[in-house]
Amino acid sequence: MTLLLVIVVFSCVFVACQTAPQDQSWTEDVVSYSGFQLWSATPRNKTEREFLLKIRQDYELEVWRESRSDNRPVDLLISPDFQTELKLRLADAQIPYEVKIADMQTEINNENPNITDSGTEFENRFSHKMDWNSYHRVDDIYGYLNYLADTYPRLVQLVSVGSSYEGRPLYVVRISSSSSGTKPAIWIDGGIHAREWISPAVATYIIQQLVEVADNERLLRNVDWYIMPVMNPDGYEYTHVNNRLWRKTRSMTGSRCRGADPNRNFGYQWGGKGTSRDKCSEIYHGSNAFSEPETRAVSNFISGKANQIQVYLTLHSYGQYLLIPWGYAVEYPADYNEMRDLAKAAASKFRRYKYTVGNSADLLYPAAGGSDDWAKSIGIKYSYTVELADTGRHGFILPASFIQPVCEDFFPALEVFVDKVATIKV
Ligand code: 0X9
Ligand code: ZN
């Protein structure tokens, strides 16, 4: 792959950093994470929690995973510039911490094996380049979706629900074994957050299993599926080419910082807790609810099928959680117990990775404008955020060798959702 890219080594690259150079032109800079480390620090009481909060503010640290309570670790991305100083400060305060990733760039370099070599051979043989041994670019994923629609026209329909900010199609795959009449449906989306690569990988795996594995026919008998593997294709491409740790969309904001957090941009409790009006923040909520073409297109499509869609699953990483609304605050929907029972039944299917089930704002943190809350608010009863593997050893940079185990572990849980909604009349 030839990339005419200028390699710029920033001393401060993370997007939450106010002084970080923000790429806003078509000069496609590549961000290096050489020397950056992932630290996991565990506060044991209020004083230590407050101390860590202060450090986060002082150094404008990027948080990969929040700590909600004592003895739960917070994962922090640490620039080489601050490591010596921070080591001393944590030692002084006697806060235990662990270096999870010693050099982020090495971790990134080792994450995804080179997929270009076998590509041509694959393409000639199968008319697509998709597999689940490596993380694929949008072109490979979309090529596969087109291949499926062409090959299984009675089963698969590829619907473009709109265009991304940069003009990429926003594809939803409809999988249905009946040409007429509607069945209750399950919606699954992936790739809301650009850097959470395991999410589109799992979403495409689910599509592959439902369409190409005859044994899974029973999952289609009474239920239709809408699966959108890459909700934020601009961001996803950007993580492959320019900045592996990009999270947001890529829209122009009128400032030096681009993009909004799509999972703060949905129109329920928009702009509430756990969101930011700072355009440079990782959790920038956008200029208004549904300001991003991606969230607007998705919400329009889902709204039009709100009576049919019974389950809303949105795939993220990481942490191994099944999160139940509400996420905007520690509030519980009236039917929370039913939602929790179903999530627990699903979680009991996992063999390899243990998932924690609970209220989103309680287990993680309050964060308003999420897609799960919005789906719940329009009446989709069973709405969940899935935080896929792992629990922090690799975080977002989950090596490609994990793709198959994570997918295989997750897929059987879908049966639980199918059984729950199969008999509902829509
Ligand atoms: O913060 C998020 O958007 C999600 N976690 S992630 O690490 N993938 O970014 C959790 C969203 C949970 N749902 C709501 N807060 N509504
Ligand atoms: Zn996410």
Side-chain angles (χ1 to χ4, degrees):
M1 188 170 39
T2 349
L3 291 174
L4 292 173
L5 300 169
V6 188
I7 304 218
V8 182
V9 182
F10 297 136
S11 60
C12 176
V13 293
F14 40 88
V15 279
C17 177
Q18 301 300 301
T19 53
Q22 292 281 334
D23 24 51
Q24 54 187 344
S25 67
W26 290 104
T27 322
E28 300 281 17
D29 297 332
V30 174
V31 175
S32 167
Y33 286 93
S34 181
F36 279 70
Q37 296 189 330
L38 187 70
W39 292 11
S40 189
T42 309
R44 291 162 299 187
N45 50 49
K46 195 164 170 248
T47 320
E48 294 187 354
R49 272 213 315 275
E50 282 168 359
F51 182 85
L52 280 173
L53 211 57
K54 173 90 172 58
I55 280 185
R56 280 163 55 172
Q57 285 159 357
D58 289 353
Y59 297 86
E60 294 177 322
L61 299 179
E62 191 189 322
V63 181
W64 272 27
R65 184 176 53 162
E66 279 287 355
S67 167
R68 265 296 282 171
S69 55
D70 294 346
N71 303 312
R72 295 230 192 117
V74 56
D75 296 347
L76 302 162
L77 182 65
I78 314 285
S79 149
D81 295 350
F82 309 141
Q83 283 161 14
T84 315
E85 215 171 300
L86 279 170
K87 263 178 212 157
L88 291 174
R89 288 191 66 176
L90 288 175
D92 269 357
Q94 297 188 329
I95 294 180
Y97 74 98
E98 210 187 313
V99 178
K100 284 275 175 73
I101 297 177
D103 180 59
M104 191 58 72
Q105 193 56 49
T106 308
E107 191 84 356
I108 290 170
N109 296 344
N110 294 334
E111 177 191 26
N112 204 19
N114 193 345
I115 56 171
T116 49
D117 301 345
S118 62
T120 331
E121 188 200 338
F122 252 100
E123 193 162 35
N124 291 340
R125 214 154 19 109
F126 299 123
S127 320
H128 69 79
K129 295 183 184 177
M130 200 60 196
D131 63 32
W132 288 267
N133 300 318
S134 59
Y135 296 107
H136 288 260
R137 300 282 294 274
V138 164
D139 270 358
D140 287 2
I141 296 176
Y142 283 6
Y144 180 57
L145 304 185
N146 274 292
Y147 159 83
L148 291 177
D150 289 347
T151 313
Y152 308 95
R154 288 160 58 89
L155 203 60
V156 179
Q157 245 182 298
L158 194 53
V159 189
S160 175
V161 300
S163 295
S164 70
Y165 184 82
E166 291 176 345
R168 296 183 175 86
L170 299 169
Y171 280 136
V172 173
V173 180
R174 175 176 181 267
I175 306 169
S176 172
S177 60
S178 66
S179 49
S180 61
T182 39
K183 303 171 189 168
I186 297 179
W187 166 282
I188 299 175
D189 62 62
I192 286 194
H193 287 140
R195 64 190 172 190
E196 298 164 10
W197 281 6
I198 189 64
S199 154
V202 170
T204 49
Y205 178 86
I206 294 167
I207 295 170
Q208 189 270 340
Q209 287 290 306
L210 294 175
V211 175
E212 301 204 283
V213 179
D215 241 19
N216 292 323
E217 192 272 328
R218 70 203 151 79
L219 298 174
L220 307 177
R221 210 168 293 150
N222 301 311
V223 163
D224 290 342
W225 298 79
Y226 293 98
I227 306 180
M228 181 179 210
V230 196
M231 197 194 284
N232 172 15
D234 299 348
Y236 185 70
E237 279 297 280
Y238 196 72
T239 60
H240 276 267
V241 179
N242 301 97
N243 180 350
R244 176 63 189 87
L245 296 179
W246 190 258
R247 166 181 168 96
K248 299 187 282 183
T249 62
R250 291 292 299 158
S251 55
M252 299 280 193
T253 59
S255 84
R256 70 198 161 87
C257 298
R258 283 177 74 155
D261 181 344
N263 215 30
R264 303 290 182 276
N265 193 240
F266 280 75
Y268 183 71
Q269 299 281 334
W270 179 83
K273 283 184 196 161
T275 75
S276 172
R277 67 165 65 120
D278 174 358
K279 293 171 178 168
C280 294
S281 163
E282 288 281 40
I283 50 171
Y284 173 50
H285 50 45
S287 54
N288 47 267
F290 299 123
S291 59
E292 306 309 286
E294 297 82 4
T295 56
R296 204 160 53 232
V298 167
S299 62
N300 286 338
F301 183 81
I302 294 180
S303 300
K305 302 202 163 4
N307 291 332
Q308 190 197 359
I309 296 173
Q310 304 295 324
V311 176
Y312 174 88
L313 297 177
T314 179
L315 307 177
H316 288 251
S317 72
Y318 57 97
Q320 291 167 212
Y321 293 106
L322 292 184
L323 301 173
I324 306 169
W326 300 102
Y328 72 87
V330 188
E331 295 282 350
Y332 296 78
D335 55 356
Y336 179 81
N337 288 352
E338 279 174 77
M339 298 185 73
R340 186 203 51 209
D341 292 349
L342 186 63
K344 288 215 157 147
S348 75
K349 294 276 179 183
F350 301 134
R351 291 283 163 268
R352 204 166 179 147
Y353 302 94
K354 281 262 139 300
Y355 283 64
T356 307
V357 174
N359 170 264
S360 173
D362 182 30
L363 277 181
L364 289 191
Y365 39 77
S371 66
D372 50 359
D373 278 9
W374 173 80
K376 179 74 183 164
S377 80
I378 63 158
I380 300 177
K381 183 177 171 78
Y382 296 109
S383 170
Y384 304 93
T385 291
V386 181
E387 296 282 0
L388 295 159
D390 61 9
T391 55
R393 163 66 189 83
H394 300 283
F396 302 118
I397 315 299
L398 192 67
S401 56
F402 283 73
I403 299 173
Q404 293 218 1
V406 172
C407 289
E408 286 166 13
D409 198 51
F410 184 77
F411 187 75
L414 293 178
E415 195 183 332
V416 171
F417 296 104
V418 169
D419 291 346
K420 187 75 191 178
V421 301
T423 54
I424 295 175
K425 296 271 167 289
V426 293

